[in-house]
Amino acid sequence: MNADMLSIRPWPDAVIDTVGHDPRSFYVEEFWLSILGPSTTWLLRRVANGLEANPSGYSMPLADTARALGLGMKGGRHSPFMRALGRVCQFDLGQLQDEGTLAVRRKLPPLNRRQVERLPDMLRDAHKRWQEEQLRIPAVDGLRRRCRRLALSLVELGEDLEGTERQLHRWKFHPALAYESASWAWHRHREASTQVAATPLAP
């Protein structure tokens, strides 16, 4: 691995990108945090910000990122920052493609049964309540959210508006829902791009 820079690339997965949770979401903060630990959770959030601004990938300066997260780099591979990177791969949330490239998931999957059982009692009960609430969401709302997530994933991977809508048609979504979701995804993508462009560079 390059001692100074790490190339971050998206690791797309059609299933996890649909049912998973943004690293900056309530679900990750509430439930994944106790599994991953705070250092790895904040690292994944920072990577999510980077991939949102640069959907095809970007270069992450290791020392600067470690300092920004309040982590040390002393100790080489055994430093707190490198251990946080290692946990990303340990939990199958990232994978080294070569010595200088790390592919990272944009979404974290729901906790599996064994992970839920490892949660403290309070969080295990909260997770059960969260699952029960999700089951009460009307089917049409769930379908719309799924279609929008897929549309946003397609846009972030480089599809244009028409291509996004066509792909949603191929996945058997209703034409009206495909049109609405593709338009929503492009609007959100443009808003994010505009905000990044308008952000002044640090002196």
Side-chain angles (χ1 to χ4, degrees), residues 2-73:
N2 187 299
D4 301 316
M5 303 290 289
L6 182 63
S7 179
I8 302 294
R9 295 289 180 268
W11 182 9
D13 183 295
V15 175
I16 293 177
D17 287 345
T18 302
V19 304
H21 304 275
D22 189 288
R24 300 157 294 189
S25 67
F26 165 83
Y27 184 92
V28 171
E29 181 175 339
E30 187 75 0
F31 304 121
W32 266 107
L33 178 61
S34 71
I35 302 293
L36 294 173
S39 300
T40 305
T41 302
W42 277 106
L43 174 58
L44 286 167
R45 289 185 171 201
R46 195 170 189 85
V47 169
N49 287 336
L51 288 176
E52 188 170 74
N54 306 278
S56 61
Y58 68 101
S59 295
M60 183 174 74
L62 297 181
D64 287 349
T65 303
R67 284 195 293 269
L69 295 173
L71 301 175
M73 283 285 286

